[in-house]
Amino acid sequence: MALGIGCSSRPGKAPNNKTGSWRVFKPKFNHEKCTKCGMCKTICPEGCIEESEDEFFIPNESYCKGCGLCAEECPSDAITMEQEEK
Amino acid sequence: MAETCELFDCGHRACGGCGAALVSRLILKATGKDVIIVSATGCMEVFSTPYPETAWKVPWIHSLFENNSAVASGIEAALKKQGRKEKVVAIGGDGSTFDIGMLCLSGAFERGHDFTYICYDNEAYMNTGIQRSGATPYDASTTTSPAGKCSKGNTKQKKDLPQILAAHGAPYVATASIAYPSDVVKKIEKAINTPGPCYVQIHAPCCTGWGFEGEKTLAIGKLAIETGLWVNFEMENGVVTRAKKVVRKPVETYLKEQKRFRHLFKPKVNAEEIAKIQAIADKNAEKYGIDLKLKNKADPVVP
Amino acid sequence: MLEITEGSHAVAKAVKMSRPQVIAAYPITPQTHIVEALADMVADCELDAEYITVESEFSALSACLGASAAGSRTYSATTSQGLALMFEVCFNVSGMRLPVVMTIANRALGAPLSIWNDQQDSIALRDSGWLQFYAEDNQEATDLHYIAYKVAENPEVLLPAFVCFDGFILSHTYEPVDMLSQEDVDRYLPAYKPVQRLDADDPISMGMYATPEYYLEFRYEHDQAMKRARNAINKAGKEFGEMFGRDYSALVEGYRLEDADTAIIAMGSLCGTIKDAIDEMRSAGKKVGLLKIRCFRPFPAEEIRNALSHVKRVAVLDKNVSVGAKGAVAIEVRDALYGKALPVLGYVLGLGGRDVRISDIRNIVSLAESGKGDQFYGLRTEVL
Ligand SMILES: Cc1ncc(C[n+]2csc(CCOP(=O)(O)OP(=O)(O)O)c2C)c(N)n1
Ligand code: SF4
Ligand code: SF4
Ligand code: SF4
Ligand SMILES: [Mg+2]
């Protein structure tokens, strides 16, 4: 593959870096408590929280770093952090 | 994956819970795709663009630590000449913005280019290992202003950069905090839609540099505002038109959560220094009129 | 059309006819007349460019970097302290492969402060990855701007270019210059078509950082581009010659070199003085010739080797010094001639505006003939 001129690159390659492997804790979403407010998706620094077809929110495990911010900020306490099973 | 990894892609290398990473996302949420981003050297640039894994799905350029405003000036001029309509947004950390990039920043604001400058303020040079900058708060311990036997940390107060840029005649200058994401987006939208050079300074707590757990990034940001140590305000044509009001908490509530201020509490509480920091908050509160007075308990407070 | 004009104004006209879209420059003696003339042209609507009156040279080149990345043809001019202030940006512009063209009105670097000519400023940036052209006279200074744009923007090259001409000696001197017409220039130098640019419809990230897995390869590519520039210069110079009668296809140019025993090597306006000195020495029976280096980057090592195959000695005149070593041109010429039993004698002279006269050239040839070189020439020992 040819190098991008002057160290340039087209978008699309960052997702090759699967930051999910950094995780020690993992957010667990309790859909019963969730009010679908969308806060978790807004504030996740990874931008890795997806809205599923039934409008619930789920983290993309390939990228979630397990920082715990979503769990801390969820107004309904619908997210808990659990030890990652490796 | 189409749902996530929006204009700012997944896979970037920021620390978990990084405030600056959230800033990147919020910026692109506000600008949409018709934008050209000019990043300065620093954490955000480094965690988002190791070749060839760029996280930016909009046109993006990095040149140096201290020239993003000048590069943006050139881009703006070229777009004008070519009759193009993209918005130009320069992004810098506090070190880039407050310190080494001041020359270019002042020049670009004086010339009046139509661009928005966004400083994500994590209050030190994080990328090189937490050295102090002109934005580091009083008494914060950094690797070049360490607390020690005869040092209480950083000896200077934060430079008032918003005022300096307002004095350049900037039509819109605002401060914001990632603790209030929709406010960040609103202010960036306003800045990019205001002709001329506009400035938005966003408080972006850094778990690694300040010493707290990544899950607390927003909570810490909120405390900064609730203690009056950070004020969210807007200035239009040099006049403060809006400031977020709060029922203030004592500064300790903010300070004690962060390792960079630990020396003010251990081995023993340094009341004298904490009083000095409280005085800074009091001065902010007076300057921007942010104190919400609780009249009586029956009146609910709507901040 | 032949015009008697100040060097700076001739250069400004050539720049104007090259149709840059964005100009960013900061005044510094002896470059000022160029940027003032361009400002006048913009003020009179003769030149349709954005002229950014930056607050420093550092911003001047940074703004050019941005404008070039956005896809516009750009121009700047500077010298000496201004160029030194651009140092960091220079490496960036070239590493990002942006074809910015910049005039250098060569001047000494302080300290001690001096506004007068030598070539220390651009030579100090010889490793910065820019093409470097040196003009002997104002005709060449003017023409080299068209060539510089053509080569810099060649998709095989994509490198920025310095067009160097000696401060005051050329910049402030009135000489007749054959100016091309705008139609001529447009035929030779069509509008700039960037290979890639910042564009919301086709996003790209520029100026990313390279890990150790990639950095070496990017520098290699940069060096390869510089090597390809050789061909591009040959081609652009030849085409210019075919269209306008002045051929700049060669990176070096010989003067009465064919049967010379002593070859002098120099760059810039000094070559004019040397040619006059050679004519005099030739009439006195001395076989002396000149090899002028017009293009210092890429360095024409092969051309130098070929041109000097028959001479007995080489005297290299450097208007710069790599303190602790020698003049930069002498060092590189010696490297080009490595393995040949040919004495290469270096002379550092003319620094900080010290005049170099025909008699000085004669003296240097005598020194070279007696094998004395690698020295500062023309020292006023009485003040030492
Ligand atoms: C001219 C120059 N000096 C110093 C550096 C080293 N350097 C790179 S990033 C950086 C600090 C960045 O601080 P800031 O702008 O606050 O961004 P942060 O990393 O905190 O996000 C420094 C000192 C550099 N790259 N260039
Ligand atoms: S923040 Fe909590 S309540 Fe809101 S959408 Fe996310 S999980 Fe549901
Ligand atoms: S734990 Fe952190 S990275 Fe993972 S989904 Fe929550 S906020 Fe995002
Ligand atoms: S050091 Fe701080 S600013 Fe830098 S990536 Fe980590 S959390 Fe973000
Ligand atoms: Mg910082």
Side-chain angles (χ1 to χ4, degrees), chain B residues 169-289:
Chain B
Y172 182 71
V173 168
T175 55
S177 164
I178 53 145
Y180 300 93
S182 57
D183 184 58
V184 171
V185 173
K186 215 172 65 203
K187 283 171 175 166
I188 296 173
E189 279 172 351
K190 193 156 168 185
I192 62 173
N193 290 313
T194 303
C198 297
Y199 178 70
V200 184
Q201 183 173 303
I202 304 169
H203 206 212
C206 160
C207 45
T208 308
W210 298 6
F212 61 83
E213 292 301 324
E215 72 211 33
K216 298 282 186 207
T217 298
L218 266 71
I220 293 283
K222 247 176 231 149
L223 283 174
I225 288 183
E226 287 167 354
T227 52
L229 285 172
W230 180 276
V231 180
N232 269 357
F233 63 84
E234 288 179 285
M235 288 175 86
E236 285 162 77
N237 299 308
V239 181
V240 178
T241 49
R242 221 164 280 116
K244 184 177 170 58
K245 291 193 191 299
V246 291
V247 179
R248 275 199 294 144
K249 295 178 174 165
V251 293
E252 289 95 315
T253 51
Y254 175 63
L255 304 176
K256 68 177 169 36
E257 297 297 324
Q258 307 168 54
K259 287 208 184 96
R260 63 178 174 161
F261 295 114
R262 187 174 45 191
H263 56 287
L264 301 180
F265 300 94
K266 277 178 184 158
K268 61 178 187 359
V269 175
N270 189 334
E272 196 186 330
E273 283 304 302
I274 293 171
K276 284 188 201 162
I277 298 173
Q278 186 60 56
I280 294 170
D282 294 347
K283 212 170 129 196
N284 283 345
E286 199 191 314
K287 183 170 167 189
Y288 293 100

Side-chain angles (χ1 to χ4, degrees), chain C residues 28-44:
Chain C
I28 177 168
T29 305
Q31 153 268 37
T32 43
H33 291 183
I34 302 174
V35 296
E36 288 166 358
L38 288 168
D40 277 341
M41 293 169 190
V42 173
D44 291 335

Side-chain angles (χ1 to χ4, degrees), chain A residues 9-27:
Chain A
S9 181
R10 304 264 158 207
K13 295 214 181 66
N16 292 353
N17 184 43
K18 302 282 190 279
T19 50
S21 64
W22 299 12
R23 219 166 33 236
V24 179
F25 293 95
K26 167 172 164 177

Side-chain angles (χ1 to χ4, degrees), chain B residues 13 33-36 45-54 56-67 70-75 77-82 84 86 103-104 107-108 110-111 113, chain C residues 20-22 48-50 52-56 58-60 62-72 85 88-89 92 96 98 197-211 214 218:
Chain B
R13 289 156 163 82
K33 66 178 235 341
D34 290 326
V35 68
I36 294 176
E45 168 261 332
V46 168
F47 70 61
S48 64
T49 61
Y51 179 85
E53 293 176 359
T54 179
W56 301 85
K57 295 190 193 170
V58 298
W60 177 93
I61 184 170
H62 159 256
S63 169
L64 296 169
F65 185 23
E66 66 277 34
N67 70 352
V71 173
S73 303
I75 293 173
L79 297 188
K80 210 193 272 178
K81 199 83 269 161
Q82 296 172 26
R84 287 163 58 187
E86 290 107 315
L103 172 74
C104 298
E110 178 268 327
R111 291 190 298 275
H113 293 277
Chain C
Q21 287 187 306
V22 177
D48 182 23
E50 286 292 317
I52 313 179
T53 50
V54 282
E55 80 299 329
S56 68
F58 182 78
S59 279
S62 298
C64 286
L65 182 152
S68 185
S72 282
L85 189 57
E88 194 188 11
V89 196
N92 233 249
M96 289 168 77
L98 298 169
R197 66 170 192 182
L198 297 167
D199 184 346
D201 290 334
D202 185 15
I204 187 169
S205 289
M206 300 173 83
M208 302 172 71
Y209 81 88
T211 54
Y214 286 105
F218 277 110

Side-chain angles (χ1 to χ4, degrees), chain B residues 93-95 120 122-126:
Chain B
D94 50 291
Y120 67 97
N122 54 23
E123 303 191 324
Y125 302 158
M126 295 313 176

